[in-house]
Amino acid sequence: MGYRISHDGTQSTLSALQIENLGIEVKRAAGFTGWRTLRPLFAPRRDAYTEIAPDEAAKYGKALLKVADKLPGGWDRIARQIGQSAERAARANEPWVWS
């Protein structure tokens, strides 16, 4: 299963394993408070389709962008792209969709 993230969050589909690995790196870098904010985003999903409300997207975007510079080996770019897409969804007052 793979994910596409709305508002230009992905240039191609990210696999569930890639999302899981990104979550592992984010957890290592975010610290307790940052991870507490971001943990729901990386929770295992039974459904491949998720709509995230604009206010939640804003919260996730801000937290991802804050941690992105602390991530190793290309994960920083992916986290930044996803974080920016969350902020775009929030600014447009649209759901942020993972499908």
Side-chain angles (χ1 to χ4, degrees), residues 2-10 12-14 19 41 45 47-54 56-58 60 81-82 85-90 92-99:
Y3 291 96
R4 287 191 143 317
I5 302 171
S6 70
H7 299 84
D8 296 321
T10 52
S12 61
T13 302
L14 293 173
I19 295 295
L41 189 61
R45 304 168 200 271
D47 188 3
Y49 183 87
T50 303
E51 279 190 16
I52 298 169
E56 290 291 306
Y60 290 137
Q81 185 174 351
I82 294 171
S85 75
E87 290 193 330
R88 281 191 288 276
N93 199 33
E94 297 173 349
W96 188 39
V97 179
W98 290 46
S99 61

mmCIF file of all heavy atoms in Angstrom, residues 2-10 12-14 19 41 45 47-54 56-58 60 81-82 85-90 92-99:
data_model
loop_
_atom_site.group_PDB
_atom_site.id
_atom_site.type_symbol
_atom_site.label_atom_id
_atom_site.label_comp_id
_atom_site.label_asym_id
_atom_site.label_seq_id
_atom_site.Cartn_x
_atom_site.Cartn_y
_atom_site.Cartn_z
ATOM 1 N N GLY A 2 0.508 2.229 -0.757
ATOM 2 C CA GLY A 2 1.252 3.462 -0.814
ATOM 3 C C GLY A 2 0.358 4.659 -0.529
ATOM 4 O O GLY A 2 -0.863 4.542 -0.506
ATOM 5 N N TYR A 3 0.987 5.800 -0.313
ATOM 6 C CA TYR A 3 0.249 7.016 0.004
ATOM 7 C C TYR A 3 0.587 8.129 -0.969
ATOM 8 O O TYR A 3 1.748 8.327 -1.315
ATOM 9 C CB TYR A 3 0.596 7.503 1.415
ATOM 10 C CG TYR A 3 0.072 6.604 2.494
ATOM 11 C CD1 TYR A 3 0.887 5.635 3.059
ATOM 12 C CD2 TYR A 3 -1.235 6.717 2.943
ATOM 13 C CE1 TYR A 3 0.410 4.797 4.050
ATOM 14 C CE2 TYR A 3 -1.719 5.893 3.931
ATOM 15 C CZ TYR A 3 -0.892 4.932 4.485
ATOM 16 O OH TYR A 3 -1.369 4.105 5.462
ATOM 17 N N ARG A 4 -0.442 8.843 -1.361
ATOM 18 C CA ARG A 4 -0.302 10.121 -2.033
ATOM 19 C C ARG A 4 -0.831 11.142 -1.054
ATOM 20 O O ARG A 4 -1.834 10.904 -0.391
ATOM 21 C CB ARG A 4 -1.104 10.161 -3.322
ATOM 22 C CG ARG A 4 -0.478 9.324 -4.441
ATOM 23 C CD ARG A 4 -1.182 9.639 -5.743
ATOM 24 N NE ARG A 4 -0.437 9.691 -6.952
ATOM 25 C CZ ARG A 4 0.735 10.233 -7.219
ATOM 26 N NH1 ARG A 4 1.419 10.787 -6.299
ATOM 27 N NH2 ARG A 4 1.260 10.225 -8.416
ATOM 28 N N ILE A 5 -0.170 12.264 -0.957
ATOM 29 C CA ILE A 5 -0.553 13.286 0.008
ATOM 30 C C ILE A 5 -0.918 14.550 -0.763
ATOM 31 O O ILE A 5 -0.150 15.009 -1.616
ATOM 32 C CB ILE A 5 0.582 13.543 1.013
ATOM 33 C CG1 ILE A 5 0.918 12.227 1.736
ATOM 34 C CG2 ILE A 5 0.199 14.628 2.003
ATOM 35 C CD1 ILE A 5 2.150 12.275 2.604
ATOM 36 N N SER A 6 -2.097 15.070 -0.469
ATOM 37 C CA SER A 6 -2.621 16.211 -1.221
ATOM 38 C C SER A 6 -1.776 17.469 -1.034
ATOM 39 O O SER A 6 -0.883 17.515 -0.189
ATOM 40 C CB SER A 6 -4.065 16.503 -0.799
ATOM 41 O OG SER A 6 -4.108 17.037 0.513
ATOM 42 N N HIS A 7 -2.093 18.472 -1.825
ATOM 43 C CA HIS A 7 -1.441 19.779 -1.775
ATOM 44 C C HIS A 7 0.072 19.658 -2.003
ATOM 45 O O HIS A 7 0.867 20.270 -1.313
ATOM 46 C CB HIS A 7 -1.775 20.505 -0.468
ATOM 47 C CG HIS A 7 -3.243 20.760 -0.318
ATOM 48 N ND1 HIS A 7 -4.111 19.811 0.179
ATOM 49 C CD2 HIS A 7 -3.995 21.831 -0.649
ATOM 50 C CE1 HIS A 7 -5.337 20.297 0.170
ATOM 51 N NE2 HIS A 7 -5.301 21.523 -0.348
ATOM 52 N N ASP A 8 0.417 18.784 -2.959
ATOM 53 C CA ASP A 8 1.812 18.545 -3.360
ATOM 54 C C ASP A 8 2.672 17.963 -2.238
ATOM 55 O O ASP A 8 3.863 18.239 -2.155
ATOM 56 C CB ASP A 8 2.459 19.815 -3.910
ATOM 57 C CG ASP A 8 1.795 20.297 -5.178
ATOM 58 O OD1 ASP A 8 1.425 19.446 -6.012
ATOM 59 O OD2 ASP A 8 1.628 21.521 -5.335
ATOM 60 N N GLY A 9 2.068 17.119 -1.415
ATOM 61 C CA GLY A 9 2.817 16.482 -0.331
ATOM 62 C C GLY A 9 3.739 15.385 -0.807
ATOM 63 O O GLY A 9 4.714 15.050 -0.143
ATOM 64 N N THR A 10 3.425 14.812 -1.975
ATOM 65 C CA THR A 10 4.291 13.776 -2.538
ATOM 66 C C THR A 10 4.422 14.016 -4.031
ATOM 67 O O THR A 10 3.475 14.418 -4.686
ATOM 68 C CB THR A 10 3.703 12.365 -2.321
ATOM 69 O OG1 THR A 10 2.365 12.334 -2.799
ATOM 70 C CG2 THR A 10 3.727 11.962 -0.867
ATOM 71 N N SER A 12 5.526 11.474 -5.828
ATOM 72 C CA SER A 12 5.109 10.130 -6.243
ATOM 73 C C SER A 12 4.569 9.446 -4.998
ATOM 74 O O SER A 12 4.616 9.999 -3.906
ATOM 75 C CB SER A 12 6.280 9.355 -6.836
ATOM 76 O OG SER A 12 7.298 9.200 -5.875
ATOM 77 N N THR A 13 4.077 8.266 -5.158
ATOM 78 C CA THR A 13 3.508 7.542 -4.032
ATOM 79 C C THR A 13 4.609 7.129 -3.058
ATOM 80 O O THR A 13 5.662 6.656 -3.459
ATOM 81 C CB THR A 13 2.771 6.286 -4.538
ATOM 82 O OG1 THR A 13 1.767 6.698 -5.465
ATOM 83 C CG2 THR A 13 2.131 5.528 -3.405
ATOM 84 N N LEU A 14 4.349 7.340 -1.763
ATOM 85 C CA LEU A 14 5.245 6.859 -0.717
ATOM 86 C C LEU A 14 4.664 5.558 -0.174
ATOM 87 O O LEU A 14 3.468 5.479 0.109
ATOM 88 C CB LEU A 14 5.351 7.879 0.419
ATOM 89 C CG LEU A 14 6.037 9.200 0.091
ATOM 90 C CD1 LEU A 14 5.908 10.171 1.260
ATOM 91 C CD2 LEU A 14 7.500 8.978 -0.237
ATOM 92 N N ILE A 19 6.619 5.662 4.977
ATOM 93 C CA ILE A 19 5.953 6.488 5.982
ATOM 94 C C ILE A 19 6.329 6.002 7.381
ATOM 95 O O ILE A 19 6.618 6.802 8.276
ATOM 96 C CB ILE A 19 4.415 6.470 5.777
ATOM 97 C CG1 ILE A 19 4.048 7.136 4.440
ATOM 98 C CG2 ILE A 19 3.706 7.137 6.947
ATOM 99 C CD1 ILE A 19 4.364 8.613 4.336
ATOM 100 N N LEU A 41 -0.168 11.233 13.329
ATOM 101 C CA LEU A 41 0.046 11.257 11.888
ATOM 102 C C LEU A 41 0.713 9.972 11.401
ATOM 103 O O LEU A 41 0.453 9.511 10.295
ATOM 104 C CB LEU A 41 0.897 12.471 11.519
ATOM 105 C CG LEU A 41 1.070 12.795 10.052
ATOM 106 C CD1 LEU A 41 -0.274 13.083 9.402
ATOM 107 C CD2 LEU A 41 1.998 13.981 9.892
ATOM 108 N N ARG A 45 -2.473 2.754 9.967
ATOM 109 C CA ARG A 45 -3.817 2.995 9.448
ATOM 110 C C ARG A 45 -4.363 1.720 8.832
ATOM 111 O O ARG A 45 -3.664 1.042 8.103
ATOM 112 C CB ARG A 45 -3.782 4.074 8.366
ATOM 113 C CG ARG A 45 -3.168 5.364 8.802
ATOM 114 C CD ARG A 45 -2.918 6.261 7.587
ATOM 115 N NE ARG A 45 -1.942 7.270 7.869
ATOM 116 C CZ ARG A 45 -2.244 8.464 8.364
ATOM 117 N NH1 ARG A 45 -3.476 8.781 8.599
ATOM 118 N NH2 ARG A 45 -1.298 9.335 8.589
ATOM 119 N N ASP A 47 -7.143 2.005 6.964
ATOM 120 C CA ASP A 47 -7.713 2.516 5.725
ATOM 121 C C ASP A 47 -6.657 3.369 5.032
ATOM 122 O O ASP A 47 -5.965 4.147 5.677
ATOM 123 C CB ASP A 47 -8.948 3.367 6.050
ATOM 124 C CG ASP A 47 -9.705 3.787 4.813
ATOM 125 O OD1 ASP A 47 -9.317 3.374 3.706
ATOM 126 O OD2 ASP A 47 -10.681 4.529 4.949
ATOM 127 N N ALA A 48 -6.548 3.247 3.742
ATOM 128 C CA ALA A 48 -5.547 4.020 2.999
ATOM 129 C C ALA A 48 -5.993 5.453 2.751
ATOM 130 O O ALA A 48 -5.220 6.247 2.251
ATOM 131 C CB ALA A 48 -5.248 3.340 1.671
ATOM 132 N N TYR A 49 -7.235 5.801 3.104
ATOM 133 C CA TYR A 49 -7.739 7.146 2.844
ATOM 134 C C TYR A 49 -7.993 7.849 4.175
ATOM 135 O O TYR A 49 -8.720 7.353 5.023
ATOM 136 C CB TYR A 49 -9.044 7.085 2.044
ATOM 137 C CG TYR A 49 -9.575 8.452 1.680
ATOM 138 C CD1 TYR A 49 -9.148 9.083 0.524
ATOM 139 C CD2 TYR A 49 -10.488 9.101 2.496
ATOM 140 C CE1 TYR A 49 -9.621 10.337 0.185
ATOM 141 C CE2 TYR A 49 -10.964 10.357 2.161
ATOM 142 C CZ TYR A 49 -10.535 10.969 1.008
ATOM 143 O OH TYR A 49 -10.993 12.212 0.684
ATOM 144 N N THR A 50 -7.365 9.011 4.340
ATOM 145 C CA THR A 50 -7.548 9.797 5.551
ATOM 146 C C THR A 50 -7.681 11.264 5.175
ATOM 147 O O THR A 50 -6.874 11.783 4.399
ATOM 148 C CB THR A 50 -6.337 9.634 6.498
ATOM 149 O OG1 THR A 50 -6.170 8.248 6.794
ATOM 150 C CG2 THR A 50 -6.521 10.406 7.783
ATOM 151 N N GLU A 51 -8.700 11.920 5.725
ATOM 152 C CA GLU A 51 -8.858 13.371 5.586
ATOM 153 C C GLU A 51 -8.534 14.003 6.920
ATOM 154 O O GLU A 51 -9.079 13.611 7.953
ATOM 155 C CB GLU A 51 -10.296 13.739 5.202
ATOM 156 C CG GLU A 51 -10.583 13.593 3.749
ATOM 157 C CD GLU A 51 -11.939 14.195 3.349
ATOM 158 O OE1 GLU A 51 -12.520 14.978 4.126
ATOM 159 O OE2 GLU A 51 -12.384 13.859 2.265
ATOM 160 N N ILE A 52 -7.664 14.989 6.889
ATOM 161 C CA ILE A 52 -7.251 15.680 8.104
ATOM 162 C C ILE A 52 -7.759 17.118 8.003
ATOM 163 O O ILE A 52 -7.511 17.798 6.999
ATOM 164 C CB ILE A 52 -5.721 15.625 8.260
ATOM 165 C CG1 ILE A 52 -5.286 14.152 8.380
ATOM 166 C CG2 ILE A 52 -5.264 16.439 9.454
ATOM 167 C CD1 ILE A 52 -3.810 13.914 8.280
ATOM 168 N N ALA A 53 -8.453 17.554 9.029
ATOM 169 C CA ALA A 53 -9.044 18.897 9.046
ATOM 170 C C ALA A 53 -7.958 19.967 8.937
ATOM 171 O O ALA A 53 -6.822 19.760 9.383
ATOM 172 C CB ALA A 53 -9.842 19.095 10.333
ATOM 173 N N PRO A 54 -8.302 21.130 8.356
ATOM 174 C CA PRO A 54 -7.310 22.184 8.169
ATOM 175 C C PRO A 54 -6.576 22.610 9.445
ATOM 176 O O PRO A 54 -5.362 22.829 9.410
ATOM 177 C CB PRO A 54 -8.122 23.341 7.590
ATOM 178 C CG PRO A 54 -9.273 22.687 6.902
ATOM 179 C CD PRO A 54 -9.590 21.480 7.742
ATOM 180 N N GLU A 56 -5.939 20.794 12.099
ATOM 181 C CA GLU A 56 -4.995 19.719 12.431
ATOM 182 C C GLU A 56 -3.823 19.722 11.445
ATOM 183 O O GLU A 56 -2.676 19.514 11.842
ATOM 184 C CB GLU A 56 -5.693 18.360 12.404
ATOM 185 C CG GLU A 56 -6.666 18.154 13.536
ATOM 186 C CD GLU A 56 -5.973 18.020 14.879
ATOM 187 O OE1 GLU A 56 -5.083 17.161 15.016
ATOM 188 O OE2 GLU A 56 -6.315 18.795 15.784
ATOM 189 N N ALA A 57 -4.108 19.955 10.179
ATOM 190 C CA ALA A 57 -3.052 20.014 9.163
ATOM 191 C C ALA A 57 -2.050 21.111 9.506
ATOM 192 O O ALA A 57 -0.834 20.910 9.379
ATOM 193 C CB ALA A 57 -3.654 20.237 7.780
ATOM 194 N N ALA A 58 -2.540 22.255 9.954
ATOM 195 C CA ALA A 58 -1.650 23.360 10.337
ATOM 196 C C ALA A 58 -0.724 22.935 11.477
ATOM 197 O O ALA A 58 0.480 23.223 11.461
ATOM 198 C CB ALA A 58 -2.472 24.577 10.734
ATOM 199 N N TYR A 60 0.192 19.818 12.302
ATOM 200 C CA TYR A 60 1.158 18.834 11.814
ATOM 201 C C TYR A 60 2.222 19.490 10.945
ATOM 202 O O TYR A 60 3.405 19.161 11.032
ATOM 203 C CB TYR A 60 0.461 17.729 11.022
ATOM 204 C CG TYR A 60 -0.390 16.809 11.849
ATOM 205 C CD1 TYR A 60 -1.635 16.411 11.399
ATOM 206 C CD2 TYR A 60 0.041 16.315 13.074
ATOM 207 C CE1 TYR A 60 -2.436 15.545 12.146
ATOM 208 C CE2 TYR A 60 -0.740 15.455 13.830
ATOM 209 C CZ TYR A 60 -1.978 15.071 13.352
ATOM 210 O OH TYR A 60 -2.757 14.216 14.081
ATOM 211 N N GLN A 81 8.621 18.598 2.591
ATOM 212 C CA GLN A 81 7.612 18.599 1.539
ATOM 213 C C GLN A 81 6.225 18.271 2.112
ATOM 214 O O GLN A 81 5.237 18.921 1.778
ATOM 215 C CB GLN A 81 7.978 17.590 0.449
ATOM 216 C CG GLN A 81 7.040 17.611 -0.729
ATOM 217 C CD GLN A 81 7.519 16.705 -1.860
ATOM 218 O OE1 GLN A 81 8.627 16.179 -1.833
ATOM 219 N NE2 GLN A 81 6.685 16.534 -2.850
ATOM 220 N N ILE A 82 6.169 17.284 2.992
ATOM 221 C CA ILE A 82 4.894 16.913 3.604
ATOM 222 C C ILE A 82 4.408 18.032 4.520
ATOM 223 O O ILE A 82 3.224 18.390 4.519
ATOM 224 C CB ILE A 82 5.025 15.572 4.352
ATOM 225 C CG1 ILE A 82 5.287 14.439 3.352
ATOM 226 C CG2 ILE A 82 3.768 15.279 5.167
ATOM 227 C CD1 ILE A 82 5.635 13.110 3.995
ATOM 228 N N SER A 85 3.002 20.846 2.518
ATOM 229 C CA SER A 85 1.695 20.516 1.947
ATOM 230 C C SER A 85 0.599 20.645 3.004
ATOM 231 O O SER A 85 -0.512 21.098 2.708
ATOM 232 C CB SER A 85 1.696 19.111 1.339
ATOM 233 O OG SER A 85 1.664 18.102 2.321
ATOM 234 N N ALA A 86 0.914 20.284 4.239
ATOM 235 C CA ALA A 86 -0.052 20.441 5.329
ATOM 236 C C ALA A 86 -0.389 21.909 5.526
ATOM 237 O O ALA A 86 -1.559 22.283 5.694
ATOM 238 C CB ALA A 86 0.509 19.843 6.614
ATOM 239 N N GLU A 87 0.630 22.755 5.478
ATOM 240 C CA GLU A 87 0.386 24.194 5.635
ATOM 241 C C GLU A 87 -0.417 24.758 4.466
ATOM 242 O O GLU A 87 -1.274 25.624 4.661
ATOM 243 C CB GLU A 87 1.701 24.936 5.813
ATOM 244 C CG GLU A 87 2.331 24.634 7.168
ATOM 245 C CD GLU A 87 3.463 25.568 7.514
ATOM 246 O OE1 GLU A 87 4.168 26.068 6.594
ATOM 247 O OE2 GLU A 87 3.649 25.806 8.724
ATOM 248 N N ARG A 88 -0.168 24.273 3.248
ATOM 249 C CA ARG A 88 -0.959 24.734 2.098
ATOM 250 C C ARG A 88 -2.427 24.357 2.260
ATOM 251 O O ARG A 88 -3.322 25.156 1.980
ATOM 252 C CB ARG A 88 -0.401 24.153 0.796
ATOM 253 C CG ARG A 88 0.825 24.872 0.273
ATOM 254 C CD ARG A 88 1.181 24.430 -1.141
ATOM 255 N NE ARG A 88 1.732 23.098 -1.191
ATOM 256 C CZ ARG A 88 3.013 22.799 -0.978
ATOM 257 N NH1 ARG A 88 3.886 23.750 -0.684
ATOM 258 N NH2 ARG A 88 3.431 21.554 -1.063
ATOM 259 N N ALA A 89 -2.674 23.143 2.712
ATOM 260 C CA ALA A 89 -4.061 22.706 2.939
ATOM 261 C C ALA A 89 -4.726 23.592 3.991
ATOM 262 O O ALA A 89 -5.879 24.013 3.821
ATOM 263 C CB ALA A 89 -4.091 21.242 3.367
ATOM 264 N N ALA A 90 -4.001 23.869 5.060
ATOM 265 C CA ALA A 90 -4.559 24.700 6.131
ATOM 266 C C ALA A 90 -4.857 26.116 5.632
ATOM 267 O O ALA A 90 -5.939 26.657 5.917
ATOM 268 C CB ALA A 90 -3.590 24.743 7.314
ATOM 269 N N ALA A 92 -5.550 27.052 2.657
ATOM 270 C CA ALA A 92 -6.679 26.983 1.721
ATOM 271 C C ALA A 92 -7.980 26.575 2.427
ATOM 272 O O ALA A 92 -9.026 26.530 1.795
ATOM 273 C CB ALA A 92 -6.366 25.992 0.596
ATOM 274 N N ASN A 93 -7.875 26.272 3.716
ATOM 275 C CA ASN A 93 -9.021 25.800 4.512
ATOM 276 C C ASN A 93 -9.662 24.564 3.868
ATOM 277 O O ASN A 93 -10.874 24.452 3.784
ATOM 278 C CB ASN A 93 -10.038 26.910 4.738
ATOM 279 C CG ASN A 93 -10.960 26.590 5.894
ATOM 280 O OD1 ASN A 93 -10.555 25.941 6.858
ATOM 281 N ND2 ASN A 93 -12.203 27.029 5.809
ATOM 282 N N GLU A 94 -8.793 23.669 3.416
ATOM 283 C CA GLU A 94 -9.235 22.424 2.781
ATOM 284 C C GLU A 94 -8.706 21.238 3.579
ATOM 285 O O GLU A 94 -7.685 21.344 4.248
ATOM 286 C CB GLU A 94 -8.677 22.331 1.348
ATOM 287 C CG GLU A 94 -9.187 23.416 0.440
ATOM 288 C CD GLU A 94 -8.512 23.420 -0.920
ATOM 289 O OE1 GLU A 94 -7.489 22.715 -1.100
ATOM 290 O OE2 GLU A 94 -9.002 24.143 -1.794
ATOM 291 N N PRO A 95 -9.387 20.101 3.494
ATOM 292 C CA PRO A 95 -8.857 18.909 4.156
ATOM 293 C C PRO A 95 -7.519 18.507 3.529
ATOM 294 O O PRO A 95 -7.317 18.671 2.329
ATOM 295 C CB PRO A 95 -9.906 17.835 3.908
ATOM 296 C CG PRO A 95 -11.036 18.466 3.205
ATOM 297 C CD PRO A 95 -10.638 19.839 2.799
ATOM 298 N N TRP A 96 -6.653 18.024 4.355
ATOM 299 C CA TRP A 96 -5.375 17.491 3.907
ATOM 300 C C TRP A 96 -5.580 16.002 3.754
ATOM 301 O O TRP A 96 -5.934 15.306 4.710
ATOM 302 C CB TRP A 96 -4.327 17.821 4.963
ATOM 303 C CG TRP A 96 -2.913 17.526 4.635
ATOM 304 C CD1 TRP A 96 -2.277 17.692 3.441
ATOM 305 C CD2 TRP A 96 -1.923 17.035 5.544
ATOM 306 N NE1 TRP A 96 -0.961 17.343 3.547
ATOM 307 C CE2 TRP A 96 -0.720 16.938 4.837
ATOM 308 C CE3 TRP A 96 -1.942 16.674 6.883
ATOM 309 C CZ2 TRP A 96 0.456 16.496 5.421
ATOM 310 C CZ3 TRP A 96 -0.773 16.237 7.478
ATOM 311 C CH2 TRP A 96 0.416 16.145 6.746
ATOM 312 N N VAL A 97 -5.410 15.474 2.562
ATOM 313 C CA VAL A 97 -5.808 14.097 2.263
ATOM 314 C C VAL A 97 -4.596 13.207 2.029
ATOM 315 O O VAL A 97 -3.715 13.529 1.236
ATOM 316 C CB VAL A 97 -6.740 14.059 1.020
ATOM 317 C CG1 VAL A 97 -7.133 12.630 0.686
ATOM 318 C CG2 VAL A 97 -7.967 14.926 1.254
ATOM 319 N N TRP A 98 -4.601 12.076 2.742
ATOM 320 C CA TRP A 98 -3.653 11.003 2.495
ATOM 321 C C TRP A 98 -4.478 9.877 1.875
ATOM 322 O O TRP A 98 -5.445 9.423 2.478
ATOM 323 C CB TRP A 98 -3.026 10.513 3.792
ATOM 324 C CG TRP A 98 -2.076 11.476 4.440
ATOM 325 C CD1 TRP A 98 -2.260 12.810 4.637
ATOM 326 C CD2 TRP A 98 -0.809 11.164 5.013
ATOM 327 N NE1 TRP A 98 -1.184 13.355 5.278
ATOM 328 C CE2 TRP A 98 -0.277 12.363 5.526
ATOM 329 C CE3 TRP A 98 -0.085 9.991 5.127
ATOM 330 C CZ2 TRP A 98 0.959 12.417 6.152
ATOM 331 C CZ3 TRP A 98 1.154 10.042 5.761
ATOM 332 C CH2 TRP A 98 1.669 11.240 6.261
ATOM 333 N N SER A 99 -4.095 9.450 0.669
ATOM 334 C CA SER A 99 -4.871 8.392 0.008
ATOM 335 C C SER A 99 -3.945 7.406 -0.691
ATOM 336 O O SER A 99 -2.789 7.656 -0.858
ATOM 337 C CB SER A 99 -5.836 8.998 -0.984
ATOM 338 O OG SER A 99 -5.156 9.708 -1.991
#
